[in-house]
Amino acid sequence: MLVNAERFLADLHTLRSFGASGVGKGVVRPAYSQPDMAARDWLAQQMLDAGLRVVVDPMGNLFGLAEGPSLLLGSHSDSQPEGGWLDGALGVIAALEVARTCRAAGGPAVSIVSFQDEEGRFGVTTGSAVWSGHLALKEADLLCDHEGISLADARRVVNVTGEVDANQFTGFIEMHIEQGPVLDAANKQIGVVSDIVGIRDVKITFEGQQNHAGTTPMHVRKDAFQAVSAFNHALEQRFSNVVTPSTVWTIGHINLHPNASSIVPGRAVFSMQWRDGDTHRLEQMERIIRTLANEVADDRGMQVTFGPLLGLEPVAMDGKLRAALEGAAEAVTLGNWRVMPSGALHDATNVSRLMPVAMVFVPSINGISHAFEEDTAEVDLVAGLKVLEAAVQSLGS
Ligand code: HGY
Ligand code: MN
Ligand code: MN
């Protein structure tokens, strides 16, 4: 059995054409947008052509199913608001290439998935969170994006054809770009993932008093932006005895109301996200965040409110699937690989509730991702594909 590297690369470029944007090979293909839905229609046709049965579930997760028990491969095909061409797409197209090659060779049986809203327009890995039972659909439906559109409204564009029973799958392998600097800096071609970190994500609102920016003296202002600024400034020091060098936290989105040069902002809504491999540390950080936000609001005579806390726990990869990837990485790269944790979140975290999971990484040039500049050398993309193929073969035989 031999995967077709040219067909695989050509398919990756075709998928990129849906929402192609920005400099380099960037894409703008957020969940449920027109380019995302068009890309999913194209993917569904590729799955049919590969002899798979296509099912779209109520979240819009797209499955291409082999008959009988099968190994599930895949990732996601939605993007960040500004994303690269490989994040998620690589795992889906590699899955397609391995599935059709296996089918042509008479086995092993491989099914494919492209999960919906992995990039969290509405939550954190929303499509696989719902499919795996981590998040109830009726709770997910209440989640809103930064424009206030609910998931319930956004997913009306999905043509639902059924539900997919996870019991038919023997395991899940997700191939992905690393999205960080480790492999690139170490000149390694493949990373076999040991663990995926945990995450917490919450929207915080400071409510002050909207007022005139010329006439309102500084000492009487209740400026919501100044509250965010004070909170952010104090946070690093409050975290200092709790975090490790691999702990990360981000305020990535802020909505200031009414967002005008001559108005003291009355309301600020911002995203607060933190990630670590230790659940206890994630909880300590949550307590610090809530306490500090309350202190900042009290000091300024303002109100603070918290949205729903979203999160995923850290997970370890399955030993048997991981060993298959390690054996394949050794055979394909002749030792030029390493074991590493994942600092990015992945659908595999949710899927691990249902079946054994494992992940394989290829390098990200200069460690850049969630940006238009994201890229990986073709030779590394193909090496990753071959590792995936070899792992599937060894598990199937
Ligand atoms: O944010 C993440 O880690 C993932 O790419 N959604
Ligand atoms: Mn991804
Ligand atoms: Mn991503």
Side-chain angles (χ1 to χ4, degrees), residues 75-76 78 86-89 118-119 174 176-177 179 344-347 370:
S75 189
H76 62 96
D78 61 305
L86 299 171
D87 180 355
E118 193 277 346
E119 297 291 11
E174 182 169 3
H176 208 281
I177 50 168
Q179 309 186 272
L345 263 297
H346 296 290
D347 294 306
H370 285 188

Side-chain angles (χ1 to χ4, degrees), residues 262-276:
S262 294
I263 301 178
V264 176
R267 187 171 67 245
V269 185
F270 64 101
S271 61
M272 182 72 233
Q273 184 190 91
W274 60 108
R275 308 186 190 205
D276 192 86

